[in-house]
C-alpha cells in the first residue's frame, strides 16, 4: 500500500490493535483486540464512531488491501464498525499451521 498509494498510507493511523478487553456491550466475550487480531483505524486522525451508518473513503480504500490479506471489515455488521478490521478465522488457522502464532 505504501508504494501503490502513498497518500492513503500517510493518512492512515491506528486507534489500537492490542487492547486486552471484552467486546463493547458484551462483558463476558473477549474482543479480538485482546489477542492482537483486530485493529481500529483512523483516517487523518479521525475515527468513525461505532454504529455510524457511513465509512470514510480512505477506510473503504483500505478494505481491498486487508481483504487480500485475509482480514474482514466491520462496516457491514449489524452494529456497523467501519474503523474495525479483524483477521479471519481461516487466516488465523493458516498462521497457526505455519507456526506463526
Amino acid at each position: 500500500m505504501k508504494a501503490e498509494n502513498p497518500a492513503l498510507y500517510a493518512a492512515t493511523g491506528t486507534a489500537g490493535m492490542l487492547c486486552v478487553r471484552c467486546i463493547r456491550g458484551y462483558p463476558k466475550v473477549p474482543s479480538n483486540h485482546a489477542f492482537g487480531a483486530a485493529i481500529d483505524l483512523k483516517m487523518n486522525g479521525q475515527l468513525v464512531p461505532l454504529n455510524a451508518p457511513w465509512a470514510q473513503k480512505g477506510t473503504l480504500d483500505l478494505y481491498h488491501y486487508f481483504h487480500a490479506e485475509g482480514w474482514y471489515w466491520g462496516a457491514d455488521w449489524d452494529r456497523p464498525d467501519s474503523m474495525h478490521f479483524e483477521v479471519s478465522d481461516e487466516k488465523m488457522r493458516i498462521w497457526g499451521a505455519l507456526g506463526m502464532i
Side-chain angles (χ1 to χ4, degrees):
M1 176 183 78
K2 187 176 183 180
E4 286 181 28
N5 193 334
L8 178 61
Y9 180 82
T12 304
T14 179
M17 184 168 194
L18 179 59
C19 178
V20 180
R21 63 176 176 82
C22 289
I23 296 173
R24 197 176 335 177
Y26 299 89
K28 295 183 180 182
V29 181
S31 166
N32 280 345
H33 287 283
F35 309 102
I39 189 167
D40 291 336
L41 297 173
K42 53 188 174 179
M43 300 306 299
N44 297 310
Q46 301 296 312
L47 287 173
V48 175
L50 180 65
N51 278 330
W54 53 275
Q56 296 166 314
K57 182 183 179 324
T59 316
L60 178 62
D61 295 339
L62 285 172
Y63 165 77
H64 303 289
Y65 294 101
F66 276 87
H67 181 74
E69 295 298 324
W71 292 60
Y72 60 92
W73 188 22
D76 69 345
W77 293 348
D78 291 339
R79 190 171 78 155
D81 195 359
S82 68
M83 71 172 157
H84 182 87
F85 289 85
E86 284 189 9
V87 178
S88 67
D89 183 62
E90 179 182 20
K91 188 62 146 186
M92 290 292 278
R93 290 176 189 280
I94 290 169
W95 288 344
L98 294 172
M100 297 173 65
I101 55 173

